[in-house]
Amino acid sequence: MSIDDTTTNQPPQTVHRKAYHRELESLTNGILRLGALACETIPRATEALLSGNLSDAQEVIDADDIVDDLAAELEEQCLSIMARQAPMAGELRRLVTCIHMISDIERSADLMVNVCKASRRMFGQPLTPQIRGLAASMSKEANKLLRLSLDAFADSNVSLAAALADIDDELDQLNRDMVEAIFAHEGDRTIELSGAVQLALIARYYERVGDHAVNVGERVIYMVTGKHELEAGAARGDGDSHRDGDASDSSAEE
Amino acid sequence: MVEVVIAVVAATIGLAAGAAWSGRRSRSSAVAPGDQVDAPVPLESATTTPLQEGSLPPGDETLATDLVAKALADLQLGIVVFDGDGEELYRNHAADEFKTARHGNALTEAALERVVEGALIGLSLEESLDLYGPPQRSLRVQASPIIDGKNVSGVTAVVEDVTEARHVERVRSDFVANVSHELRTPVGAMSVLAETLADCDDLEVAERLTTRIQREAGRMSQTIADLLVLSRLDAGAVTASDTMDLVSVVAMAIDRVSEGATQRGIDIAVDNRQGGPILVDGEQGQLVSAVANLLDNAIKYSDANSAEVPEARPQGNRGSTAVSTIRTDSPVTVRLEIKGGSSPTDPPEAILAVADRGIGVPETDLNRIFERFYRVDSARSRDTGGTGLGLSIVRNTVLNHGGTIEVDSVEGRGSVFTIRVPLSSAQLQVNGSE
């Protein structure tokens, strides 16, 4: 009501701007909501994996439709704003960032669906305490990274965004530990080869969530500063995982 | 209990909303123009509350409205009131949090929007949210329409944190299931064994059966003995208060478990950082049992070879620091030290930590292992024996000594149980004289 009162006396552009800003705000809230949904899937998927509960796993898999729908809706919203409002400079960067973030977040949730599917495939295989502990730590670390990347976006916090790559090192290290543990366990026959393959994939899924979070951080830096300052870093996110991948993928994805 | 609170709140909201709207209606009759009273602004958050829109008649009604608004503001329940068009009129402090729209709050706000949308067309809706967080929370979001004649004139939405209630509920139902399981299993086994024995004429088989009956009876009597210990501890604080040295308590406890430790080839190290006696008040027998109980667990759930497993790398900032800070060559370590005392609000405490490099405790079970009869893995605990009451006894003992106990664990890396008890005044004198 109060908005109508104040806007009636103002030129039409201002009314227009107000509606536009409200649209941008609703988009931001939508993305934070999408991010929150994706963050939630991480501990959920991990619990399904560690408890070996198939119906929990199915629940996570089914719930991904909500994430996908919201992601599609938000993308539509971005494009519609771009088409109608012809944003410039910072606002254009913000919208482009949003579009990229939507896909990063949506992919993260998909990766957790992959964890659930993998845990379904290795149903009945006992996990050793060491593997369980590593999986739980990876999940916690991935969840933390994604949350922090959303914080960086919501607060336009460049220094936090830039720190994400360093924080991600912990997750990369856990991934290496996991691969090592899998080799050790497979060596002494405490897990079967098929289980080892699934586990290596699972470790990789968590690790990829971290990379997506780092990507979000880089987008946020671009959004705020307008510079691709960390171009080397942006490539690093993928490059690094490929390097790590050599250890895990050679055993896992073939 | 919870229902009562909600009923009261619902009534209060009704009153507040009613007062607000009736206040608006009755205003013209009660107050002469120009005779306006500045109604106190009840809340920072309530920017569009009708309470602020204009003045209210002086007297009891204003006071009551004001009080109700204040009461609502500080309520633990989140309350949001909307008008018939879905425009937000009021939001109390507890509900304010969800507006930040970050992480779990974003999802709560989304649920709130969904139920309010339903309420605007006259439906009473409820949604349960289980957020994994962190922090892990269970919320109930509920909205009901305020119907004025045929139209929906407003909506009240309530967000209730049911985390604690859910937890208590689960503990209670699990307890009943577990206790009947623990008691029924040995009884069932004994009756089957006795039945077989009655029809048995082979002496060798009969001997085997009686041994097993004895074992089951032993288990049962152990459970009953532990239950009696617990009920004694439940009775309250320690009466016999001696001053004793924790260092010797630990030595006695180690002595008690040494046989099992030697059998499994596990060495127990003591790391006394104080370097001298640590005096506490309490009942020595109880404390020795508690420490022995922790050590027994540490031995049972440790791998004899774990001492040979090299620590992969220095632990970074990986959340569970306590697990990594106490590392010696022994698979089981008892650390003793005195902490605090730097300020009057932080009295010095004796700290006794039992660390192992065993299988660890899954995170989901971590806050439940002190519950009676709670088992992380019932199959395994059957092998290792035990009644499922050990940690409850330890916790109650520590609480009776005015202390606290906490556990930190990473699966596959080990656990640390940390006991904190207040120092004896005798210790303070010792320290003072030095």
Side-chain angles (χ1 to χ4, degrees):
Chain A
M1 315 286 119
S2 57
I3 292 167
D4 293 342
D5 295 343
T6 48
T7 47
T8 39
N9 302 332
Q10 284 165 356
Q13 294 107 299
T14 324
V15 183
H16 187 67
R17 298 298 291 175
K18 280 228 162 103
Y20 169 43
H21 280 285
R22 227 174 317 154
E23 272 184 88
L24 281 181
E25 198 187 304
S26 123
L27 178 65
T28 304
N29 283 338
I31 285 180
L32 291 174
R33 210 166 267 189
L34 182 72
L37 280 172
C39 280
E40 279 288 308
T41 58
I42 300 173
R44 270 172 213 269
T46 309
E47 196 170 299
L49 166 72
L50 294 181
S51 65
N53 188 329
L54 289 181
S55 67
D56 282 1
Q58 193 57 48
E59 226 170 82
V60 176
I61 294 169
D62 292 342
D64 191 52
D65 289 347
I66 301 170
V67 177
D68 290 347
D69 289 348
L70 183 57
E73 192 186 306
L74 287 169
E75 201 176 310
E76 196 66 30
Q77 217 172 315
C78 275
L79 292 174
S80 146
I81 296 175
M82 279 188 194
R84 287 180 294 108
Q85 313 281 5
M88 300 211 277
E91 278 157 5
L92 180 59
R93 286 204 304 276
R94 186 173 188 85
L95 284 164
V96 172
T97 300
C98 286
I99 286 196
H100 283 300
M101 274 183 69
I102 292 166
S103 76
D104 271 321
I105 296 170
E106 193 265 335
R107 273 302 295 153
S108 301
D110 283 348
L111 286 164
M112 289 303 111
V113 168
N114 291 350
V115 167
C116 287
K117 287 184 175 163
S119 76
R120 214 162 51 175
R121 279 194 289 270
M122 59 184 301
F123 178 71
Q125 292 219 30
L127 299 174
T128 66
Q130 192 192 4
I131 299 273
R132 295 171 59 90
L134 281 168
S137 303
M138 288 194 87
S139 156
K140 235 189 262 176
E141 219 35 62
N143 191 6
K144 183 174 95 183
L145 271 163
L146 197 53
R147 283 172 76 107
L148 288 176
S149 75
L150 292 165
D151 281 336
F153 168 69
D155 304 331
S156 298
N157 185 340
V158 175
S159 51
L160 175 59
L164 289 172
D166 286 338
I167 304 173
D168 185 45
D169 288 348
E170 184 72 20
L171 187 54
D172 292 339
Q173 181 60 47
L174 282 169
N175 186 34
R176 282 191 281 272
D177 288 358
M178 181 71 125
V179 171
E180 231 170 78
I182 293 166
F183 277 133
H185 281 81
E186 211 276 317
D188 60 22
R189 297 266 163 253
T190 31
I191 45 172
E192 286 169 34
L193 181 62
S194 62
V197 172
Q198 296 305 333
L199 277 172
L201 284 171
I202 286 169
R204 167 112 162 117
Y205 297 145
Y206 285 121
E207 192 264 337
R208 286 299 295 161
V209 171
D211 291 343
H212 282 296
V214 174
N215 279 351
V216 168
E218 277 150 11
R219 302 283 177 203
V220 170
I221 295 172
Y222 173 69
M223 174 181 91
V224 179
T225 64
K227 286 178 202 141
H228 279 299
E229 254 183 280
L230 291 177
E231 234 154 28
R236 195 205 73 105
D238 286 326
D240 206 348
S241 68
H242 281 303
R243 240 189 302 118
D244 287 345
D246 291 343
S248 57
D249 293 355
S250 54
S251 68
E253 283 184 346
E254 267 156 36
Chain B
M1 181 63 201
V2 179
E3 282 77 2
V4 175
V5 174
I6 295 172
V8 171
V9 168
T12 347
I13 299 169
L15 176 59
W21 278 294
S22 69
R24 206 190 293 185
R25 275 200 300 274
S26 62
R27 181 166 42 195
S28 54
S29 60
V31 186
D35 187 18
Q36 298 209 331
V37 182
D38 278 332
V41 179
L43 292 171
E44 309 92 80
S45 61
T47 45
T48 52
T49 322
L51 298 177
Q52 278 172 269
E53 255 179 23
S55 53
L56 284 164
D60 290 348
E61 204 181 335
T62 319
L63 185 69
T65 316
D66 187 29
L67 279 177
V68 169
K70 277 189 176 136
L72 284 177
D74 293 337
L75 220 55
Q76 296 272 310
L77 287 171
I79 293 169
V80 192
V81 183
F82 299 85
D83 70 11
D85 302 323
E87 206 70 38
E88 190 178 314
L89 297 177
Y90 173 81
R91 189 181 272 257
N92 74 349
H93 284 315
D96 248 357
E97 180 197 349
F98 309 120
K99 250 197 152 170
T100 59
R102 204 76 71 83
H103 310 312
N105 289 337
L107 301 180
T108 312
E109 188 69 23
L112 195 69
E113 278 171 24
R114 283 195 294 273
V115 292
V116 168
E117 218 164 279
L120 285 171
I121 55 166
L123 303 169
S124 276
L125 296 179
E126 193 180 306
E127 247 187 71
S128 286
L129 277 180
D130 284 308
L131 300 174
Y132 277 61
Q136 197 157 16
R137 287 199 299 179
S138 300
L139 298 167
R140 219 181 56 175
V141 185
Q142 188 198 352
S144 37
I146 301 167
I147 297 184
D148 185 10
K150 275 186 186 162
N151 302 323
V152 177
S153 61
V155 171
T156 55
V158 178
V159 182
E160 187 189 4
D161 192 325
V162 291
T163 316
E164 194 55 38
R166 282 277 179 82
H167 179 71
V168 170
E169 201 179 296
R170 202 166 45 226
V171 169
R172 195 167 31 201
S173 70
D174 283 0
F175 173 73
V176 174
N178 290 341
V179 78
S180 53
H181 174 80
E182 289 296 327
L183 295 177
R184 207 183 287 149
T185 311
V187 172
M190 274 193 282
S191 96
V192 171
L193 288 166
E195 220 170 274
T196 322
L197 186 61
D199 301 335
C200 170
D201 39 19
D202 185 338
L203 200 64
E204 208 175 298
V205 174
E207 222 175 85
R208 232 176 22 235
L209 290 172
T210 42
T211 322
R212 287 196 48 200
I213 291 178
Q214 275 169 345
R215 205 195 312 152
E216 294 299 331
R219 264 177 56 113
M220 185 113 198
S221 66
Q222 186 58 49
T223 304
I224 292 166
D226 278 357
L227 275 173
L228 287 175
V229 170
L230 260 180
S231 73
R232 244 198 329 273
L233 288 170
D234 276 344
V238 274
T239 43
S241 202
D242 314 321
T243 300
M244 72 199 101
D245 182 5
L246 265 188
V247 180
S248 61
V249 167
V250 169
M252 276 185 265
I254 289 177
D255 196 43
R256 210 183 274 188
V257 298
S258 62
E259 198 186 326
T262 328
Q263 255 177 28
R264 298 199 46 150
I266 286 172
D267 172 44
I268 302 172
V270 180
D271 173 15
N272 182 359
R273 304 209 173 155
Q274 179 66 11
I278 298 176
L279 302 178
V280 294
D281 293 328
E283 201 190 298
Q284 180 161 314
Q286 282 186 9
L287 280 179
V288 172
S289 297
V291 177
N293 218 319
L294 291 181
L295 287 172
D296 193 41
N297 277 343
I299 293 164
K300 265 197 297 211
Y301 295 108
S302 279
D303 187 352
N305 301 322
S306 59
E308 291 158 27
V309 177
E311 189 57 23
R313 66 205 164 87
Q315 297 303 312
N317 179 21
R318 204 189 277 182
S320 185
T321 45
V323 174
S324 53
T325 48
I326 338 180
R327 289 285 179 192
T328 61
D329 288 335
S330 303
V332 177
T333 309
V334 185
R335 177 179 52 118
L336 286 164
E337 63 183 312
I338 295 177
K339 264 200 183 146
S342 48
S343 72
T345 51
D346 176 27
E349 289 173 315
I351 293 178
L352 190 161
V354 176
D356 67 59
R357 264 182 254 171
I359 56 171
V361 182
E363 208 185 334
T364 42
D365 300 298
L366 214 48
N367 61 352
R368 304 202 57 190
I369 54 172
F370 294 108
E371 284 166 26
R372 288 163 199 207
F373 292 119
Y374 188 81
R375 304 269 204 196
V376 172
D377 177 357
S378 49
R380 191 188 159 105
S381 39
R382 197 128 310 240
D383 301 341
T384 49
T387 58
L389 291 169
L391 284 175
S392 312
I393 293 176
V394 173
R395 185 186 59 178
N396 281 28
T397 305
V398 172
L399 290 179
N400 279 358
H401 283 79
T404 56
I405 182 163
E406 55 192 51
V407 59
D408 189 4
S409 184
V410 175
E411 265 192 285
R413 300 213 355 253
S415 313
V416 181
F417 287 84
T418 309
I419 293 177
R420 290 159 197 273
V421 279
L423 277 180
S424 163
S425 51
Q427 174 85 41
L428 302 177
Q429 282 158 18
V430 170
N431 282 358
S433 65
E434 272 167 11

